[in-house]
Amino acid sequence: MIDMPEPVTVYGHKSRQLMLAGQGMLAVVDGDHADALAKQLKLGDSGEPLAGHIRVRDVRTEALGDGVEAKIVQTVSTITTHPGKTMVGCEYRVNY
């Protein structure tokens, strides 16, 4: 968790915390805004069997050559380790 010296505004919500998760950076917003943000950002289910709490939207895919591609994915989620918080941001996924 990264504590910011000043708040940032992310999709209308203020946050003083950022989280590095997997291959992404997410703002940590107070309150459960996952459904509202998913609707606002037109995000859908992740398709992962154990990740029903994650909403995603592919933003861009780039071919890097030799069958490798990089994908930018917008995400909104909640997790039990941070009750009453919503995580919103982007992940960068490399597919080989």
Side-chain angles (χ1 to χ4, degrees):
M1 196 75 78
I2 300 167
D3 292 318
M4 303 292 291
E6 298 292 326
V8 295
T9 302
V10 181
Y11 303 111
H13 301 274
K14 290 198 183 283
S15 174
R16 285 184 163 265
Q17 293 184 316
L18 297 177
M19 172 186 285
L20 299 174
Q23 300 171 352
M25 180 172 284
L26 307 166
V28 180
V29 176
D30 287 331
D32 185 349
H33 305 285
D35 290 339
L37 281 167
K39 184 176 180 179
Q40 174 187 344
L41 301 172
K42 298 179 173 79
L43 308 182
D45 291 335
S46 70
E48 297 292 326
L50 299 177
H53 59 287
I54 300 174
R55 306 289 186 268
V56 298
R57 178 175 65 90
D58 291 351
V59 175
R60 186 173 75 219
T61 302
E62 284 186 39
L64 302 178
D66 294 329
V68 179
E69 66 180 18
K71 185 181 289 191
I72 299 171
V73 180
Q74 191 172 30
T75 67
V76 169
S77 65
T78 57
I79 53 176
T80 57
T81 57
H82 293 75
K85 305 280 186 182
T86 301
M87 279 54 74
V88 58
C90 289
E91 292 182 24
Y92 304 90
R93 301 176 181 169
V94 178
N95 299 318
Y96 298 95

